[in-house]
Amino acid sequence: MPRPIRASIDLEALRHNYLLAKNRAGHAKAFAVVKANAYGHGLDRAMRALGEVADGFALLDLAEARALRAAGITQPIALLEGFFEPADIAEILALKLTPAIHCDAQLAMLERARLAGPIDVLLKINSGMNRLGFSADRFPAALAQLRGMPAVRDITLMTHFAQADDETGIGAQMDVFRQITAGLKLPLCLANSAALLRFPEATGHIVRPGIMLYGASPMPDLLSAEAIGLRPVMSLTTEIIGVQDIAVGERVGYGGTFEATGPTRVGVVACGYADGYPRHAPTGTPILVDGRRTRTLGRVSMDMLACDLTHLPEAGIGSPVTLWGEGLAADEVAAAAGTISYELFCALAARVPVGVRGDAA
Ligand SMILES: *Cc1c(COP(=O)(O)O)cnc(C)c1O
């Protein structure tokens, strides 16, 4: 028998979350962000859920875009980092992709490619995040250069917010963006999940929700996924494979970082950091056993971790365990571990078998 750990991906929940995002977007198109293998959920699975409903898709990798087209996806596909070398450009045309253009080097490559066209592009503006994009001083020339290229058809203005999920918000970046783009009548592509949920003024013509599609909150400190109406898509489950009864003063796991302060019943869980569970999750990280909430104990090892069964006397070997997903928000586990749900999902290890629920048809 294989180890009992498995991930379950709920395609129905993914569709539900997409439609919620779409609904929030009003008249704007919602491009589903499926970069990084659909945030660890599997690009092919995301396609099965969203292929019929999404207005478009956004990702980074040309190979992933190729896979979407091969699977019959005809909607627009945005390449959020554009292209990396001249050889990419012919394929972008052949596959009808919409690259972001964020720097002079890309403009020069596009100019030299002398494409028969047409391609649509996202002209990326740096409004303050200082990651990718043209700043105010370079933007007018970039726009003029793109407009002068016969192969370039539709130009959409794009920017990305650094703090849509916290108290700072998007005000300062929107001011910069409005200044840079004053008087232009071009369509806008601005909002990630957090901006879509919090700042209707940033909806623009195309929104780019990512994390919310997968049922986690982009700002769990301000608003839970449940309060937003999102449903978890990935559930990571396993079983108890061992039990130890320990006395006061005994320790659990590598480094002995947990010391029992009273008689403690320790459940050993078949999940470790080699499965994608964060090693830095401390004692006290929430976990479900038999659907009941308890806490992890001690250090996470490669293939196992420990949890507290002291108050769950009926639990034992074979009891079902949920690491995150249905019944336990990934956001809560992430917060306890000092990270974000994005990282938990993306870290799901290849060795974990994945099952799918809610296939259409
Ligand atoms: C990842 C990404 C998104 C989606 O962000 P979420 O916080 O997951 O909604 C949107 N736009 C860009 C440019 C991104 O890189």
Side-chain angles (χ1 to χ4, degrees):
M1 189 185 142
R3 290 171 76 230
I5 190 166
R6 55 186 273 128
S8 164
I9 305 295
D10 185 345
L11 303 185
E12 191 55 50
L14 182 47
R15 262 189 303 274
H16 164 88
N17 297 337
Y18 174 80
L19 292 172
L20 189 149
K22 170 96 183 122
N23 192 266
R24 290 296 190 97
H27 295 298
K29 291 192 183 325
F31 283 14
V33 179
V34 293
K35 64 191 180 188
N37 197 30
Y39 290 45
H41 291 67
L43 184 63
D44 55 327
R45 297 178 198 110
M47 275 324 92
R48 277 152 68 182
L50 303 179
E52 308 267 292
V53 293
D55 297 327
F57 295 90
L59 42 68
L60 307 174
D61 196 89
L62 201 49
E64 288 190 331
R66 206 180 290 136
L68 291 196
R69 287 290 184 242
I73 297 296
T74 55
Q75 296 95 317
I77 300 176
L79 292 174
L80 295 172
E81 294 177 350
F83 44 82
F84 305 97
E85 57 175 359
D88 299 340
I89 298 175
E91 192 167 12
I92 282 171
L93 175 63
L95 295 175
K96 295 188 164 41
L97 308 179
T98 307
I101 305 290
H102 64 76
C103 65
D104 286 323
Q106 286 179 333
L107 280 174
M109 281 188 254
L110 195 54
E111 192 89 75
R112 277 197 303 271
R114 306 217 168 279
L115 280 188
I119 64 165
D120 297 333
V121 300
L122 294 159
L123 178 53
K124 180 100 187 248
I125 293 171
N126 174 18
S127 58
M129 184 166 183
N130 293 318
R131 203 170 61 172
L132 299 181
F134 294 95
S135 303
D137 54 336
R138 280 292 305 135
F139 170 77
L143 177 61
Q145 196 176 344
L146 277 177
R147 281 179 157 162
M149 290 185 208
V152 171
R153 189 174 51 188
D154 296 344
I155 301 173
T156 297
L157 302 177
M158 172 182 172
T159 197
H160 191 51
F161 300 118
Q163 292 178 273
D165 57 333
D166 69 26
E167 318 77 58
T168 302
I170 64 168
Q173 278 193 259
M174 278 304 285
D175 288 347
V176 171
F177 185 81
R178 286 197 190 97
Q179 267 169 31
I180 293 177
T181 61
L184 295 173
K185 295 272 185 297
L186 296 171
L188 308 179
C189 177
L190 311 176
N192 58 2
S193 298
L196 171 60
L197 292 167
R198 292 182 71 203
F199 303 107
E201 71 270 26
T203 302
H205 302 82
I206 302 171
V207 296
R208 306 186 304 271
I211 194 64
M212 68 182 293
L213 305 180
Y214 308 101
S217 172
M219 56 239 166
D221 297 342
L222 300 178
L223 203 55
S224 72
E226 196 179 2
I228 298 166
L230 300 171
R231 285 167 44 189
V233 177
M234 180 194 294
S235 289
L236 183 61
T237 60
T238 185
E239 292 178 6
I240 301 286
I241 58 165
V243 176
Q244 304 288 345
D245 285 292
I246 65 172
V248 181
E250 288 199 90
R251 292 168 181 274
V252 174
Y254 286 118
T257 60
F258 172 78
E259 183 182 332
T261 55
T264 302
R265 192 152 176 269
V266 179
V268 179
V269 176
C271 175
Y273 61 78
D275 299 302
Y277 196 88
R279 182 178 176 277
H280 48 275
T283 290
T285 301
I287 184 168
L288 298 185
V289 179
D290 279 337
R292 312 259 308 271
R293 215 178 151 94
T294 181
R295 57 175 186 150
T296 65
L297 299 177
R299 250 184 221 159
V300 174
S301 41
M302 185 182 286
D303 310 305
M304 285 172 270
L305 57 85
C307 68
D308 193 346
L309 302 182
T310 310
H311 306 287
L312 301 173
E314 68 289 358
I317 290 178
S319 290
V321 174
T322 297
L323 288 317
W324 61 70
E326 229 156 86
L328 177 59
D331 287 322
E332 277 194 66
V333 178
T339 183
I340 53 176
S341 61
Y342 301 67
E343 194 181 14
L344 297 187
F345 297 152
C346 290
L348 181 73
R351 80 175 189 180
V352 176
V354 180
V356 164
R357 291 184 295 148
D359 241 327

